Amino acid sequence: MTNEAIIAIGIFLITYAFIISEKIHRTIVAMIGGILMVAFGMVDQETALHHIDFNTIGLLTGMMIIVSITAETGLFKYIAIWSAKKVKGRPLAILIVLSLITAVGSAFLDNVTTVLLMVPVTFSITRQLNISPIPFLITEILMSNIGGTATMIGDPPNIMIGSAVKELSFMDFITNLAPVVLVIIIVIMAIMAFYYRKNIHTTEEARNRMMNLNEKDEITDKPLMIKSIIVLLLTIIGFFLHQIAGIESATVALAGAFLLLLLAGEHHLENALSKVEWTTIFFFIGLFVLVSGLVETGVIKQLAANAIDLTGGNVTASAFLVLWLSAIASAFVDNIPFVATMIPLIQQMGEMGINDLNPLWWSLALGACLGGNGTLIGASANVIVAGLAGKEGYKISFIKFMAVGLPIMLITVAISMGYIYLRYL
Amino acid sequence: MKVHYKVFDSLAAIEEKPNDQDIEFIIETKNEKAFNKLHEVRKFFESDKVLTDVLFYTLGDHSFQVIVRRDSYTAFVLGLFGFQLIKQIEWRE
């Protein structure tokens, strides 16, 4: 191993340790890590810039703009209250409905945005029914991570994989991941409904109050809502067709975002751009440069060779290794830096003789996304919901969440393992 | 000391019902102007960083149910005063 490789590993491990410790904001740490890689000559600036995946950055930015404008219209509140009334205000049915909305929302919007939209509605509905919001919030967290696994734009690991592997289209993600995600949703929803069946009861009077709510008045800007829905649908259609049209997914998302800004009026511009999570965007940029240091110094190549030695180059063993390693790692550390490291490693394994990389890509996507359910710190959505709940006086502790989340994670990864084996191996 | 207030009768009718942890308001707005003012109050509380301090529910016919946490009672009444749905507010023994 060269001196450069040792220095690159040192910078990477120290950066990673600081990200895990959460003592300093992860974006600052990742950016400093990336800058150190360039400053110490592990990678030159020009090459580092080439390693930044601007498709991931553009896709995230575009979707954040679309969602921030759509959220202003009251659309999500309307859907939640309308659904709660459709199931006659029965708490268990509402738990299922809100969780399914979260899963579907997370499949097409990013998880953090989806839970940020769902949490206030959940507080509102559970308060009206006079029941604890905690079973609802925990189930929504789980469903957000599961639903986000189904599409290329649902969860950052999938966005990163979709961007890095040009052969995988938006449709490939749906046809390969959505079937297993659908099975997982049915199984986990049944488990959660059974688990919480005795905790969520309300009175006839509270249900009647729920039924008296007028969801139509929740829509605050109907013309903007119609424009937002049209643009959102066009953008999703664009994702389905992007490979046929020969354009990148970021182009689709950014086209949707700026078309909506054009239709909504420029007074939305400042606010929409301020709602983009620039900290997340810079976190990605820092990580891409950080990992580029490992790639350029040959560390990733060496790790891939070690992985092939370990599995004997066998695709089944490699896929299962990637699946479980991703799931366990993602339960305890941020899945974004983990996936940023795994992508070049899997690509390298392909160059070293593993011909069919598809089972490995789907294993990485399933492991990294579903692993987020294992602990409270496994995914950004978990941390955000727990933070909001705690602030409102409903504490979701690390242990309380893990008691539910870890078994659910193990079940979902076991289902994925069966699926990978039956479908690809 | 307790908060006492007088409503602009031409704009709204307000009923209060205290529960264990909250105070529930039923507010009927009597015209478009009052409806828009209450909408502004709602926007104010829904855009703050606390999610469960004041929860609004629309009941139709320009009426609203508002569930207010006890620790946010004064802030809510002041909000109604600020947007001129209440004409007088005072502390009384």
Side-chain angles (χ1 to χ4, degrees):
Chain A
M1 195 175 278
T2 62
N3 283 341
E4 282 84 8
I6 293 166
I7 295 169
I9 292 171
I11 295 171
F12 180 81
L13 290 179
I14 292 168
T15 309
Y16 224 104
F18 272 103
I19 291 173
I20 295 168
S21 75
E22 295 181 349
K23 297 276 183 216
I24 304 170
H25 196 288
R26 62 181 191 165
T27 303
I28 298 172
V29 176
M31 283 302 291
I32 289 176
I35 291 164
L36 286 177
M37 285 288 188
V38 178
F40 279 89
M42 303 302 108
V43 55
D44 63 77
Q45 184 176 300
E46 190 62 26
T47 314
L49 286 177
H50 282 293
H51 277 277
I52 297 171
D53 186 349
F54 285 99
N55 192 49
T56 299
I57 306 291
L59 180 54
L60 280 169
T61 309
M63 291 310 288
M64 284 173 187
I65 292 172
I66 294 174
V67 170
S68 74
I69 297 173
T70 310
E72 282 176 33
T73 65
L75 172 68
F76 299 98
K77 269 190 188 169
Y78 169 84
I79 294 171
I81 293 177
W82 178 83
S83 314
K85 283 176 71 175
K86 279 284 162 205
V87 295
K88 311 259 183 268
R90 284 170 293 156
L92 203 57
I94 293 176
L95 175 88
I96 294 170
V97 164
L98 291 185
S99 304
L100 291 179
I101 293 173
T102 310
V104 174
S106 296
F108 294 100
L109 313 171
D110 84 273
N111 294 358
V112 171
T113 309
T114 308
V115 295
L116 280 175
L117 293 169
M118 291 306 292
V119 168
V121 185
T122 303
F123 277 127
S124 183
I125 289 176
T126 52
R127 178 61 198 87
Q128 183 66 274
L129 294 171
N130 211 7
I131 46 180
S132 167
I134 290 180
F136 292 79
L137 297 175
I138 290 180
T139 314
E140 284 168 17
I141 291 174
L142 300 174
M143 282 298 155
S144 168
N145 291 322
I146 294 169
T149 313
T151 68
M152 193 184 87
I153 54 167
D155 215 355
N158 288 6
I159 296 176
M160 295 164 84
I161 296 167
S163 272
V165 189
K166 299 294 172 213
E167 307 84 64
L168 299 180
S169 68
F170 188 80
M171 269 314 285
D172 287 330
F173 275 83
I174 291 191
T175 53
N176 287 282
L177 296 176
V180 66
V181 167
L182 209 60
V183 173
I184 288 171
I185 286 176
I186 293 167
V187 172
I188 301 308
M189 212 52 259
I191 293 173
M192 297 310 286
F194 182 77
Y195 183 69
Y196 285 125
R197 73 194 184 284
K198 287 182 183 160
N199 299 54
I200 44 175
H201 285 294
T202 190
T203 59
E204 197 61 35
E205 188 199 346
R207 278 177 59 186
N208 288 338
R209 279 202 310 261
M210 181 86 230
M211 294 307 290
N212 285 336
L213 299 184
N214 186 356
E215 68 277 13
K216 283 181 189 148
D217 286 351
E218 299 295 339
I219 295 165
T220 50
D221 190 337
K222 200 170 177 182
L224 183 61
M225 186 188 75
I226 293 167
K227 289 171 192 168
S228 301
I229 292 172
I230 292 170
V231 170
L232 200 55
L233 288 176
L234 283 175
T235 308
I236 291 169
I237 293 169
F239 287 134
F240 278 101
L241 301 175
H242 80 99
Q243 211 174 38
I244 299 167
I247 50 172
E248 296 273 5
S249 46
T251 311
V252 175
L254 287 168
F258 284 89
L259 174 64
L260 184 54
L261 279 168
L262 184 70
L263 296 173
E266 59 187 73
H267 56 282
H268 284 277
L269 180 64
E270 290 283 344
N271 190 36
L273 289 182
S274 73
K275 295 257 174 83
V276 173
E277 288 169 52
W278 294 110
T279 51
T280 308
I281 302 291
F282 276 96
F283 180 54
F284 272 97
I285 292 172
L287 284 173
F288 285 131
V289 177
L290 186 71
V291 174
S292 76
L294 295 183
V295 175
E296 294 299 320
T297 53
V299 175
I300 294 291
K301 203 171 184 175
Q302 186 58 47
L303 282 174
N306 292 349
I308 287 176
D309 279 348
L310 186 70
T311 60
N314 180 291
V315 182
T316 307
S318 302
F320 290 165
L321 177 72
V322 169
L323 178 71
W324 282 101
L325 184 68
S326 311
I328 293 164
S330 298
F332 296 96
V333 299
D334 199 325
N335 57 14
I336 298 170
F338 179 79
V339 172
T341 319
M342 285 298 286
I343 287 172
L345 197 140
I346 292 176
Q347 284 169 331
Q348 195 66 52
M349 285 166 86
E351 284 172 23
M352 287 176 167
I354 294 184
N355 293 325
D356 184 11
L357 286 182
N358 277 354
L360 272 65
W361 292 126
W362 304 132
S363 297
L364 178 62
L366 288 163
C369 296
L370 298 174
N373 276 334
T375 71
L376 200 55
I377 55 163
S380 307
N382 313 8
V383 179
I384 284 174
V385 174
L388 287 172
K391 215 173 66 183
E392 305 295 331
Y394 301 97
K395 192 167 186 270
I396 302 174
S397 68
F398 189 88
I399 298 293
K400 189 176 188 170
F401 182 83
M402 203 166 84
V404 182
L406 195 61
I408 293 292
M409 180 202 106
L410 294 173
I411 293 168
T412 56
V413 178
I415 294 172
S416 305
M417 192 176 165
Y419 173 77
I420 296 275
Y421 184 75
L422 290 173
R423 182 154 178 189
Y424 304 103
L425 303 170
Chain B
M1 297 274 267
K2 274 181 144 186
V3 173
H4 276 258
Y5 58 84
K6 275 188 189 163
V7 182
F8 276 113
D9 293 329
S10 59
L11 291 177
I14 300 180
E15 263 178 58
E16 270 190 40
K17 199 171 96 184
N19 296 323
D20 291 346
Q21 306 155 24
D22 318 298
I23 290 124
E24 195 178 312
F25 289 79
I26 300 290
I27 304 176
E28 182 200 337
T29 56
K30 293 184 176 172
N31 52 40
E32 206 59 31
K33 190 177 155 195
F35 179 82
N36 291 335
K37 282 172 185 282
L38 192 63
H39 185 70
E40 290 301 315
V41 179
R42 179 178 188 166
K43 236 164 82 178
F44 175 78
F45 283 101
E46 287 188 348
S47 60
D48 68 4
K49 294 203 167 194
V50 193
L51 297 172
T52 55
D53 53 349
V54 181
L55 295 167
F56 280 81
Y57 304 89
T58 49
L59 301 173
D61 296 333
H62 284 194
S63 290
F64 294 84
Q65 177 195 8
V66 188
I67 299 177
V68 180
R69 234 164 47 188
R70 279 188 183 273
D71 58 4
S72 302
Y73 177 81
T74 311
F76 177 65
V77 175
L78 278 172
L80 294 174
F81 183 70
F83 284 96
Q84 296 174 357
L85 285 162
I86 282 174
K87 63 179 168 188
Q88 194 181 326
I89 184 165
E90 63 176 332
W91 291 105
R92 276 193 205 160
E93 290 291 345

